[in-house]
Amino acid sequence: MEMTDVTRAIAAATSVAASLDLPAKDAIVLHNSNKLALRLMPCDVLARVAPLGQEVAQFEVELAQRLADVGSPAGRLEPRADPRVYTRDGFAVTLWTYYEPVTPHTSPADYAKALEQLHDGMRKVDVPSPRFTDRITEAEEIVADPDRSPALADADRVFLGGRLASLRRAIDDRGAVEQLLHGEPHPGNVLSTTNGSLLIDLETCCRGPVEFDLAHVPEAVCEHYPGLDQGLLDECRQLVIAMVAAWRWDLDDQFPNGRRFGEELLRLLREGPPWPTLDTVTRRLDGL
């Protein structure tokens, strides 16, 4: 969000908290992207704020409730507030339990166990959700529209669009079992807490093979997750690289150093296997 929107979003969140008798004299910005994550103090509540019409907040609230009912390791809603979406000044506000991070950070084995338990819980809930291929379509639309990705060279546009389409077909042709997934269980969405490892940010949930989720996690985590199809995992890793590459070329993308990431991901796609995990790419680029 732009700073003017951040100021308004903070005011909206603190107003909602005050209306629920949750003291919120201060707000610490934890994350700022398409939505804002705030730690409200002294009530110690996590508020997630998004512009109305650009959020899937109601879906996330309903899913979090159902996952809590089956004991899944996912972030919980704030128990002192009604489990719903609050609206203020053009923003949708949801209130969540704030978990103080603990050390050591989540080990690969604990990370894999938490994700496996989340997948097990997700098989027990029934909520309408998009299929993972909808994410591919979003990426293809960016690549196909020069107005949305004006800096993408014509040759790169043809290459990336073709790779997205071929990976969609290859993964579909495998006919793998599909289920509800987190959608983006990367390390930034895994918390090490006194309650164990928890996965947060459920807005990206979709249906697909579990290998699609595992394509977002570090290699060491996959080594502890049982029963993976390595060939499908490799295709899903390549798909994630291609989708993220498309998003980095989006004119509206606000990812730090997004252009450099976009160029590197295109290079990796052309270079071929073995397909690196996103955390490996990030560490490599941060070290440049």
Side-chain angles (χ1 to χ4, degrees):
M1 292 186 189
E2 300 294 335
M3 283 310 301
T4 53
D5 292 329
V6 168
T7 301
R8 292 177 49 238
I10 290 174
T14 54
S15 172
V16 167
S19 72
L20 300 171
D21 294 324
L22 297 171
K25 296 180 180 179
D26 190 22
I28 303 168
V29 176
L30 302 177
H31 184 69
N32 179 16
S33 58
N34 60 319
K35 67 162 55 71
L36 197 66
L38 304 168
R39 183 183 183 185
L40 304 181
M41 298 294 291
C43 62
D44 215 13
V45 171
L46 175 67
R48 302 185 69 193
V49 192
L52 280 174
Q54 299 182 30
E55 81 293 328
V56 289
Q58 188 59 47
F59 168 80
E60 194 172 11
V61 166
E62 292 175 2
L63 181 57
Q65 288 179 278
R66 298 195 183 194
L67 290 174
D69 290 342
V70 297
S72 286
R76 300 289 194 263
L77 293 159
E78 168 53 50
R80 292 170 289 178
D82 289 337
R84 67 180 183 87
V85 180
Y86 298 84
T87 58
R88 287 287 192 286
D89 189 27
F91 291 98
V93 181
T94 52
L95 301 178
W96 302 79
T97 298
Y98 176 78
Y99 298 95
E100 190 73 46
V102 299
T103 53
H105 296 302
T106 302
S107 69
D110 288 344
Y111 193 151
K113 182 179 179 181
L115 188 54
E116 185 182 4
Q117 290 174 338
L118 181 73
H119 287 158
D120 181 61
M122 285 180 158
R123 286 192 287 271
K124 299 173 183 176
V125 302
D126 183 21
V127 293
S129 61
R131 193 165 178 252
F132 78 102
T133 50
D134 290 3
R135 310 278 294 281
I136 305 175
T137 299
E138 293 171 3
E140 288 175 325
E141 290 173 349
I142 293 170
V143 173
D145 187 352
D147 290 334
R148 293 187 62 182
S149 51
L152 187 61
D154 289 343
D156 291 335
R157 192 181 307 281
V158 172
F159 168 75
L160 185 53
R163 185 60 61 90
L164 287 164
S166 65
L167 286 166
R168 179 202 294 266
R169 290 192 298 270
I171 294 172
D172 266 344
D173 287 348
R174 285 183 175 269
V177 173
E178 298 187 1
Q179 68 155 85
L180 189 63
L181 304 173
H182 181 285
E184 288 187 4
H186 55 69
N189 283 333
V190 181
L191 298 181
S192 179
T193 77
T194 54
N195 297 320
S197 298
L198 299 176
L199 286 107
I200 60 171
D201 198 351
L202 301 171
E203 69 170 358
T204 55
C205 284
C206 58
R207 304 195 79 83
V210 294
E211 284 81 1
F212 181 77
D213 261 1
L214 271 296
H216 291 80
V217 308
E219 177 68 41
V221 176
C222 296
E223 295 172 0
H224 294 275
Y225 194 103
L228 292 177
D229 180 327
Q230 187 61 50
L232 179 54
L233 178 60
D234 285 343
E235 287 176 344
C236 287
R237 280 184 180 154
Q238 186 183 174
L239 174 61
V240 169
I241 291 172
M243 291 192 304
V244 174
W247 297 333
R248 295 294 78 87
W249 289 96
D250 189 343
L251 184 63
D252 296 328
D253 183 54
Q254 297 182 13
F255 189 85
N257 299 316
R259 181 63 54 78
R260 189 175 65 169
F261 271 83
E263 292 170 347
E264 174 65 8
L265 294 173
L266 278 174
R267 186 191 67 79
L268 290 172
L269 287 171
R270 283 196 163 94
E271 187 175 87
W275 307 109
T277 55
L278 288 178
D279 65 301
T280 300
V281 178
T282 300
R283 288 197 305 271
R284 182 188 304 163
L285 288 176
D286 286 346
L288 292 180

